[in-house]
């Protein structure tokens, strides 16, 4: 019993290290220190603890100011356009068996897209907050959060809840409490995808922009995340472990993915090649995401794709420019090479040029001749979903 008590004391201190005062906090930091990493500033520690403890209210205030209901509703409508196009297309996928096609289409059609912020917010704690007791505030907030978790035991499972956990780089926790952290988070066991309010900012999303710009940025991301859901064929539309592929379907899927592996392997920076197999999952999302987002645009504005606007660009061109601008960044070649060795995502240059070179609509929009750098030969053009 003494050992158990000692262990629990240790766990409490370790879990509260970001809120510990003075010497205790310094000791905890020294114990957990990693060579070359310095302790974050006290401001950053307090900000992080505030995010964890008061995330729901922070999310509510942030979402109302930075996004608003009108933009949230428009973004939801845009996302659903891409979702509907993918569900219809997947239902006719020629390389899948009829049963697998039907299961994939049902999975996408019934998927719940949680965009921006919820209509009904989770209940928040009404305990007073002390201006001079960070540790006490943190303990109170965590006790409330733990009690909320216990109340959910044996409760009916709901796929539409915003109380599921997400895993942002900054602080994992309840989705409705992390909406001020930019990110898109799929939940395969609820067959849902969450897009936080902080994620819906320009250049990814601007409610004032025309439809082709919104779909070129945000729509392609929606498509990317839905591609991941399709690849998780071991989980069905109810979030249950039930493989919807037959052995023949799985072999056909692998054969389609081989093209993406080859395309990835061809890309290089300063003579260092991308690992097409290591980045396969994310590349699959990129290729399918932008293709389906453009198809969704074509369904709405098909007769206007070649019409030029006042900026001198056609509707189709603005879509692809918006997609490319989403990935704009400045990075030293040496850093790009280092990231390419470790990251499961390809460098932004490939995430733009790779998918678009395999998309006939891009070549048509910019009149790219056959054999040009941005036109991959038809025999090697990649399209999975």
């Amino acid at each position: 019993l003494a050992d158990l008590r000692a262990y629990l004391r240790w766990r409490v201190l370790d879990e509260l290290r970001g809120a510990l005062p003075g010497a205790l906090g310094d000791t905890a930091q020294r114990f957990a220190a990693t060579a070359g990493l310095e302790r974050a500033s006290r401001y950053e520690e307090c900000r992080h603890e505030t995010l964890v403890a008061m995330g729901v209210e922070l999310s509510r205030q942030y979402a109302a100011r930075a996004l608003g209901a009108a933009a949230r509703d428009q973004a939801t409508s845009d996302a659903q356009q891409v979702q509907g196009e993918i569900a219809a297309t997947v239902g006719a996928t020629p390389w899948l068996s009829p049963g697998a096609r039907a299961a994939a289409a049902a999975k996408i059609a019934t998927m719940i897209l949680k965009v921006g912020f919820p209509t009904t917010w989770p209940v928040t704690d009404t305990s007073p907050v002390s201006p001079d007791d960070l540790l006490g505030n943190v303990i109170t907030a965590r006790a409330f959060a733990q009690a909320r978790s216990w109340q959910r035991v044996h409760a009916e499972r709901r796929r539409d809840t915003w109380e599921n956990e997400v895993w942002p780089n900054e602080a994992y926790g309840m989705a409705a409490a992390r909406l001020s952290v930019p990110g898109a988070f799929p939940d395969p066991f609820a067959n849902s995808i969450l897009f936080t309010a902080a994620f819906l900012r320009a250049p990814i999303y601007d409610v004032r922009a025309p439809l082709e710009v919104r779909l070129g940025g945000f729509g392609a991301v929606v498509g990317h995340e839905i591609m991941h859901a399709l690849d998780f064929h071991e989980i069905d539309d109810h979030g249950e472990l039930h493989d919807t592929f037959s052995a023949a379907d799985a072999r056909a899927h692998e054969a389609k993915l081989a093209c993406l592996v080859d395309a990835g392997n061809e890309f290089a920076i300063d003579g260092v090649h991308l690992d097409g197999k290591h980045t396969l999952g994310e590349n699959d999302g990129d290729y399918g995401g932008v293709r389906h987002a453009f198809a969704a645009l074509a369904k709405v504005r098909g007769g206007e794709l070649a019409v030029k606007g006042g900026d001198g660009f056609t509707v189709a061109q603005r879509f692809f420019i918006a997609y490319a601008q989403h990935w704009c960044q400045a990075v030293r070649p040496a850093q790009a090479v280092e990231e390419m060795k470790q990251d499961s995502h390809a460098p932004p240059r490939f995430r733009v040029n790779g998918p678009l070179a395999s998309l006939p609509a891009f070549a048509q929009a910019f009149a790219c001749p056959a054999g040009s750098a941005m036109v991959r030969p038809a025999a090697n053009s990649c399209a999975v979903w």
Side-chain angles (χ1 to χ4, degrees), residues 113-135:
L113 300 180
K114 304 170 184 177
V115 180
F117 58 91
T119 301
T120 302
W121 290 87
V123 175
T124 54
D125 192 6
T126 58
S127 301
V129 177
S130 172
D132 56 5
D133 185 8
L134 173 63
L135 179 58

Side-chain angles (χ1 to χ4, degrees), residues 91-259:
T93 303
W95 52 269
L96 281 178
S97 66
R101 282 199 300 266
K107 184 174 186 177
I108 303 309
T110 59
M111 177 178 287
I112 298 174
L113 300 180
K114 304 170 184 177
V115 180
F117 58 91
T119 301
T120 302
W121 290 87
V123 175
T124 54
D125 192 6
T126 58
S127 301
V129 177
S130 172
D132 56 5
D133 185 8
L134 173 63
L135 179 58
N137 293 336
V138 168
I139 291 174
T140 299
R142 294 195 186 185
F144 177 82
Q146 187 62 62
R148 183 207 300 275
S149 297
W150 285 336
Q151 288 172 1
R152 293 177 63 186
V153 175
H154 298 305
E156 181 182 0
R157 182 182 177 212
R158 291 178 50 195
R159 291 177 49 229
D160 62 347
T161 180
W162 288 63
E163 296 189 34
N164 60 304
E165 283 205 344
V166 294
W167 301 84
N169 294 333
E170 188 159 25
Y172 75 87
M174 185 170 64
R178 301 296 181 272
L179 302 182
S180 61
V181 180
F185 304 104
D187 184 350
F189 296 107
N191 193 23
S192 68
I193 305 174
L194 171 85
F195 303 92
T196 67
F199 184 72
L200 296 171
R201 305 301 301 275
I204 294 177
Y205 191 78
D206 185 346
V207 70
R208 300 165 298 178
L211 177 64
E212 61 268 24
V213 174
R214 303 197 307 268
L215 291 183
F218 179 54
V221 175
V222 173
H224 175 107
E225 296 301 335
I226 292 178
M227 294 301 100
H228 287 325
L230 286 169
D231 283 334
F232 282 124
H233 53 82
E234 301 87 354
I235 303 174
D236 64 18
D237 56 324
H238 297 294
E240 300 293 341
L241 288 170
H242 164 222
D243 199 337
T244 58
F245 274 17
S246 66
D249 291 322
R251 288 193 297 270
H253 188 213
E254 288 295 323
K256 299 293 287 186
L257 290 172
C259 177

